[in-house]
Amino acid sequence: MITQEHPKAVIVIFGATGDLAKRKLFPSIYRLVQNEKIGNDFAVVGVGRRPWTNDEFRSNVSDSIQTAMKESKNLDNFTSHFHYHPFDVTNPSSYLELNTLLNELDGTYQTEGNRIFFLAMAPEFFGTIAQNLKIQGLTDTNGWSRIVIEKPFGHDHPSAQKLNQEIREAFNEDQIYRIDHYLGKEMVQNIEVIRFSNALFEPLWNNRYIANIQVTSSEVLGVEDRGRYYENSGALRDMLQNHMLQMVALLAMEPPIKLTTNEIRSEKVKVLRALRAISEDEVSDYFVRGQYTSGQLDEQQLIGYREENNVADESQTETYVAGKLLIDNFRWAGVPFYIRTGKRMAAKSTKIIVQFKDIPMNLYYKKGEQVAPNLLIINIQPDEGVTLQLNVKKDGDAGDSKPVKFDLSSNFLDGLNTPEAYEKLIYDCLRGDATNFTHWDEVALSWKFVDPISQAWTKGKAGLATYPAGSMGPKEADELLEEDGNEWWPVY
Ligand SMILES: NC(=O)C1=CN([C@@H]2O[C@H](COP(=O)(O)OP(=O)(O)OC[C@H]3O[C@@H](n4cnc5c(N)ncnc54)[C@H](OP(=O)(O)O)[C@@H]3O)[C@@H](O)[C@H]2O)C=CC1
Ligand SMILES: O=C1O[C@H](COP(=O)(O)O)[C@@H](O)[C@H](O)[C@H]1O
């Protein structure tokens, strides 16, 4: 339910001295103000343990915005809305002092008792914070209270369920906003529009016309300074369980009867329920995992994953995963959804490629050449837009065809000023629109699908392939598609 178009609220950021707050949250709030999505009736309270003053906090916020934005104006006025309140979140009595501050700011900024608690901290604190907020009365106001939970939401299904129970003891499902920042990306949100508002695509969007769908999210970056977290996560939990499965759900869902949060979620849930479960013994038939070794990209030498900080010498953690998903319903029976994601690959690229089936008869058989399949390419990042691969007549040769790419990206004019994913998601949360956040049912089903895969890998039931940093992943991932007579389409 959308509560306010021009929302007012106090936003409490737990973990305000951390990396996510600095790189994403402060600049996003700044853009919301610049774009007049929120007015002057807001305040931000930062929580961390560092003994900073308000001035130190504001100067950190200011730096973050200057780093993130080409141009920044009115920074002093903007940062005057930021307040810092240091405490250890495991200390229950500190929440009472925080409440006093929030009540005070509520009066100063006329925020009508509306509060967002944004948990930008390690997941082991999520349950404790949620429960203290409730027990110490911070959710008991005249306005609304919402809690935003960062990923990872659990480590597997049992841990996610436990965490969910802890949060649900303090907040109702409709107050919980589980972030999947891919759902805030402009072109991910465009999947529904491209599908459901074009007569050209929707009639073809099924197993009669589509041969396979490929979803790639490749990164050039390595594990950076997140080795400790990543060692316990790997690409399967870090990217596939959440972002990749969410994109598959949007691609495969039935048209919702209305564009409401519940109807869309309910269709996504049906897709996740229809995902063919893979048993531990079948994992290597459907999934490939890989780890980057040293390599080269753009003449730069890159170290291997095992040489990164906080990574074990014999680490078995996958930095790459590719898989074949089957969706057992009438629409998708027999259509493989190939997905792959990895770090230290040749290019940063997130793309969805829909390959249509061949036409029934090839009239353009000269020289034994095949007619190229039609492709619909949804470019999510770094380029945004849509590309169509069609066949046209080969120059000067009446009996032959050639594939041509029609790039429709320049028509996505809004793309020139695309809001950051976090900017949209914070705004949605302020307005009470949870459509682009994940419901517990989606999280639970995703973990149930992923758990046997990670268990098989932990038990060593499938090998760990390697790939040189700067490449497009291990050859075993190519073989996965070759077995079906398919290949990965280029993504950069
Ligand atoms: N960074 C990123 O790009 C992304 C991060 N995330 C998720 O966001 C969350 C935060 O990540 P990130 O910002 O990178 O983490 P950081 O390690 O950079 O920051 C952790 C924050 O938690 C605070 N903190 C830790 N312990 C306590 C405590 N006992 N009491 C009060 N504050 C505490 C720290 O404050 P202090 O040191 O002052 O105590 C710091 O502000 C994680 O769940 C992560 O998985 C998700 C996607 C991307
Ligand atoms: O959630 C995560 O996403 C990023 C990739 O996000 P993108 O928007 O740059 O595609 C990934 O680097 C990180 O490991 C993961 O936690």
Side-chain angles (χ1 to χ4, degrees), residues 420-457:
E420 255 271 356
Y422 273 95
E423 179 184 346
K424 284 198 207 182
L425 294 175
I426 294 172
Y427 185 54
D428 282 354
C429 178
L430 280 161
R431 289 159 62 243
D433 183 352
T435 313
N436 294 310
F437 293 81
T438 48
H439 187 275
W440 163 244
D441 293 345
E442 296 169 70
V443 177
L445 286 162
S446 306
W447 278 123
K448 281 184 181 166
F449 176 76
V450 156
D451 281 354
I453 305 168
S454 51
Q455 277 153 15
W457 289 349

Side-chain angles (χ1 to χ4, degrees), residues 50 62 64 73 216 293 306 321 323 325 336 376 388 405 481:
R50 274 163 242 194
S62 206
S64 117
K73 49 187 180 188
T216 299
T293 54
R306 291 181 182 178
V321 58
L325 310 183
L376 166 68
L388 265 180
K405 285 202 166 81
L481 272 69

Side-chain angles (χ1 to χ4, degrees), residues 294-326:
S294 58
Q296 203 179 358
L297 184 65
D298 296 336
E299 290 171 25
Q300 196 195 341
Q301 283 302 326
L302 301 167
I303 57 171
Y305 177 68
R306 291 181 182 178
E307 282 88 62
E308 302 275 14
N309 283 338
N310 298 317
V311 169
D313 293 345
E314 298 295 317
S315 171
Q316 295 295 305
T317 302
E318 78 288 352
T319 58
Y320 174 99
V321 58
K324 171 165 94 167
L325 310 183
L326 293 171

Side-chain angles (χ1 to χ4, degrees), residues 13-25 47-52 84-91 95 118-126 129 149-153 179 181 225-226 229 238 243 422:
I13 300 179
F14 289 90
T17 56
D19 177 69
L20 183 71
K22 189 164 181 149
R23 283 194 310 110
K24 300 284 184 191
L25 306 187
V47 175
R49 286 168 305 184
R50 274 163 242 194
W52 285 358
Y84 186 66
H85 190 70
F87 74 94
D88 188 320
V89 295
T90 57
N91 178 8
Y95 288 81
F118 197 119
L119 273 46
M121 287 188 50
E124 65 256 33
F125 296 111
F126 294 167
I129 299 174
I149 313 277
E150 256 303 337
K151 61 171 290 209
F153 199 90
I179 288 240
H181 78 276
D225 53 2
R226 295 170 74 211
Y229 153 77
D238 187 46
H243 311 318
Y422 273 95

Side-chain angles (χ1 to χ4, degrees), residues 20 24 41 68 81 120 159 163 218 240 255 293 297 325 343 348 385 387 389 418 428 431 443 454 459:
L20 183 71
K24 300 284 184 191
D41 24 27
H81 290 252
S159 62
L163 172 60
S218 60
L240 191 139
T293 54
L297 184 65
L325 310 183
K343 292 203 179 282
K348 172 79 180 165
T387 309
Q389 177 175 293
T418 305
D428 282 354
R431 289 159 62 243
V443 177
S454 51
K459 291 177 190 164

Side-chain angles (χ1 to χ4, degrees), residues 1 9 19 36 40 44 62-63 93 111 134 148 192 205 256 287 289 345 353 378 418 479 486:
M1 187 190 62
D19 177 69
E36 297 178 10
N40 268 320
V44 177
S62 206
D63 288 349
S93 61
T111 50
K134 169 84 173 174
V148 183
E192 278 171 67
W205 211 260
F287 275 84
R289 59 173 173 157
M345 294 176 66
I353 302 184
I378 303 177
T418 305
E479 289 161 10
N486 292 321

Side-chain angles (χ1 to χ4, degrees), residues 29-93:
I29 298 170
Y30 178 75
R31 274 188 291 261
L32 286 175
V33 173
Q34 290 303 307
N35 295 332
E36 297 178 10
K37 296 278 178 58
I38 49 179
N40 268 320
D41 24 27
F42 82 97
V44 177
V45 175
V47 175
R49 286 168 305 184
R50 274 163 242 194
W52 285 358
T53 60
N54 273 348
D55 282 346
E56 282 170 305
F57 182 48
R58 288 171 187 172
S59 134
N60 190 271
V61 173
S62 206
D63 288 349
S64 117
I65 288 151
Q66 281 164 329
T67 310
M69 312 283 298
K70 282 200 195 99
E71 229 177 81
S72 48
K73 49 187 180 188
N74 302 329
L75 269 183
D76 287 344
N77 179 45
F78 175 72
T79 56
S80 70
H81 290 252
F82 283 68
H83 302 260
Y84 186 66
H85 190 70
F87 74 94
D88 188 320
V89 295
T90 57
N91 178 8
S93 61

Side-chain angles (χ1 to χ4, degrees), residues 216-474:
T216 299
S217 188
S218 60
E219 293 188 75
V220 168
L221 288 182
V223 72
E224 307 285 286
D225 53 2
R226 295 170 74 211
R228 200 165 285 124
Y229 153 77
Y230 201 82
E231 273 286 86
N232 292 312
S233 163
L236 184 73
R237 292 188 177 96
D238 187 46
M239 292 290 290
L240 191 139
Q241 179 269 338
N242 37 70
H243 311 318
M244 304 299 283
L245 289 185
Q246 281 293 322
M247 287 192 280
V248 169
L250 289 169
L251 287 164
M253 72 183 190
E254 293 300 312
I257 53 175
K258 276 185 281 180
L259 289 176
T260 58
T261 306
N262 285 344
E263 295 299 343
I264 294 171
R265 279 174 166 179
S266 138
E267 295 305 337
K268 283 162 67 191
V269 163
K270 283 188 211 155
V271 173
L272 296 169
R273 279 173 50 206
L275 271 184
R276 185 176 302 175
I278 297 170
S279 70
E280 284 184 31
D281 292 329
E282 293 170 325
V283 168
S284 20
D285 298 337
Y286 291 91
F287 275 84
V288 168
R289 59 173 173 157
Q291 188 185 75
Y292 64 83
T293 54
S294 58
Q296 203 179 358
L297 184 65
D298 296 336
E299 290 171 25
Q300 196 195 341
Q301 283 302 326
L302 301 167
I303 57 171
Y305 177 68
R306 291 181 182 178
E307 282 88 62
E308 302 275 14
N309 283 338
N310 298 317
V311 169
D313 293 345
E314 298 295 317
S315 171
Q316 295 295 305
T317 302
E318 78 288 352
T319 58
Y320 174 99
V321 58
K324 171 165 94 167
L325 310 183
L326 293 171
I327 298 172
D328 288 329
N329 62 20
F330 259 52
R331 188 185 281 264
W332 294 115
V335 180
F337 283 67
Y338 299 114
I339 58 182
R340 61 176 167 168
T341 181
K343 292 203 179 282
R344 276 283 186 250
M345 294 176 66
K348 172 79 180 165
S349 176
T350 305
K351 273 195 198 329
I352 294 162
I353 302 184
V354 180
Q355 177 179 336
F356 290 90
K357 285 190 170 165
D358 292 338
I359 44 173
M361 193 182 112
N362 181 4
L363 290 171
Y364 301 91
Y365 49 80
K366 270 195 171 177
K367 301 174 204 129
E369 279 173 21
Q370 291 292 312
V371 173
N374 289 151
L375 303 178
L376 166 68
I377 305 170
I378 303 177
N379 305 298
I380 290 172
Q381 62 183 10
D383 306 328
E384 295 183 328
V386 164
T387 309
L388 265 180
Q389 177 175 293
L390 304 175
N391 290 304
V392 299
K393 179 178 158 296
K394 219 175 202 175
D395 304 338
D397 192 338
D400 232 335
S401 70
K402 64 173 183 185
V404 173
K405 285 202 166 81
F406 293 90
D407 187 1
L408 311 179
S409 305
S410 59
N411 291 3
F412 284 69
L413 284 181
D414 289 350
L416 294 177
N417 196 16
T418 305
E420 255 271 356
Y422 273 95
E423 179 184 346
K424 284 198 207 182
L425 294 175
I426 294 172
Y427 185 54
D428 282 354
C429 178
L430 280 161
R431 289 159 62 243
D433 183 352
T435 313
N436 294 310
F437 293 81
T438 48
H439 187 275
W440 163 244
D441 293 345
E442 296 169 70
V443 177
L445 286 162
S446 306
W447 278 123
K448 281 184 181 166
F449 176 76
V450 156
D451 281 354
I453 305 168
S454 51
Q455 277 153 15
W457 289 349
T458 308
K459 291 177 190 164
K461 286 193 177 180
L464 175 67
T466 55
Y467 61 100
S471 70
M472 274 314 279

